[in-house]
Amino acid sequence: MELHRTPRWPQAWWWLALPAHLAIAWLWWRHGWMAGLPALMALHGVLLWGTLSPNARLFGPVLSQLPPDADGVWLTIDDGPSDDTPALLDLLDAHGAKATFFLVGERAAARPALVREIAARGHGIANHSHTHPQARFWALGPSAMRREITGCQQQLQAITGAAPVWFRAVVGHANPFVSAPLRDLGLARVAWSARGYDAVDGDVQRVLGKIAADLAPGAIVLLHEGAKHGRSVEIVTGVLDRIRETGLRTLVPGVAEDGVAADGSPPQPSPARGGGS
């Protein structure tokens, strides 16, 4: 199973959307608005779903979980670097665990030492946009989208010397203009299969309950750092404990010639593994 898949035909959606709209125009002309309007709404509903659903593959490939025969889970931490980063790195070390940090470019520029420390401790570094425009990422045009993705990529490469190979869309939203810069930069999009809404929910037990329900071999776990509720480190601690209790381990996939997953570190001959967290 090839995990690291960059978009191959980023403009393919045009060739699907244009004939669909022409067909609806013909339907409207031939049968009137009572036939044409519902068809138009249905088509735009599909396009909206493709934009807002994190696991939707309408505009390009997205990885939402590892193969079920994987012997661990992929721990991913979004929105850093932040004040929480040093504590998270110590916590991961204490558990013998590894993670991939999806970093925001302008935040990385403000704290380059933390970015280098993440890499030095053997964790993955990945692209999570340059400014994290949470409210409008889904609606960015082609130029703005390219600036967000390319800006972060250049910043992280300048700090670490290595170009990330994974990208996570802000809030998981990915409109038709995401795929072209991903293809040009060799980035593959990552979603998740286990989440607890920890970026906004500070109730540790409630968050852990939601994540634990989806913890299984091959799960991609979505976590955050620097959340306003101030309990991100506590939540990650609880997740690591749950992972250990289930007998799983953490994985940071590495690039291999056979297409095994990739993290933000230089190419590896085989997946790097954390301890029995």
Side-chain angles (χ1 to χ4, degrees), residues 4 7-8 25 35 38 42 49 51 61 70 126 146 174 189 207 218 230-231 236 239 250 265:
H4 185 266
R8 297 179 63 185
W49 165 80
T51 298
R146 184 172 291 274
R189 184 158 61 98
V207 169
R231 308 190 75 179
V236 176
V239 170
T250 57
S265 60

Side-chain angles (χ1 to χ4, degrees), residues 3-29:
L3 301 183
H4 185 266
R5 297 178 60 205
T6 57
R8 297 179 63 185
W9 301 288
Q11 307 303 331
W13 70 276
W14 279 107
W15 299 103
L16 298 175
L18 182 59
H21 279 91
L22 290 174
I24 291 172
W26 176 87
L27 182 67
W28 199 309
W29 170 74

Side-chain angles (χ1 to χ4, degrees), residues 217-232:
I220 299 178
V221 183
L222 172 64
L223 293 166
H224 296 81
E225 59 175 294
K228 291 182 179 179
H229 53 64
R231 308 190 75 179
S232 294

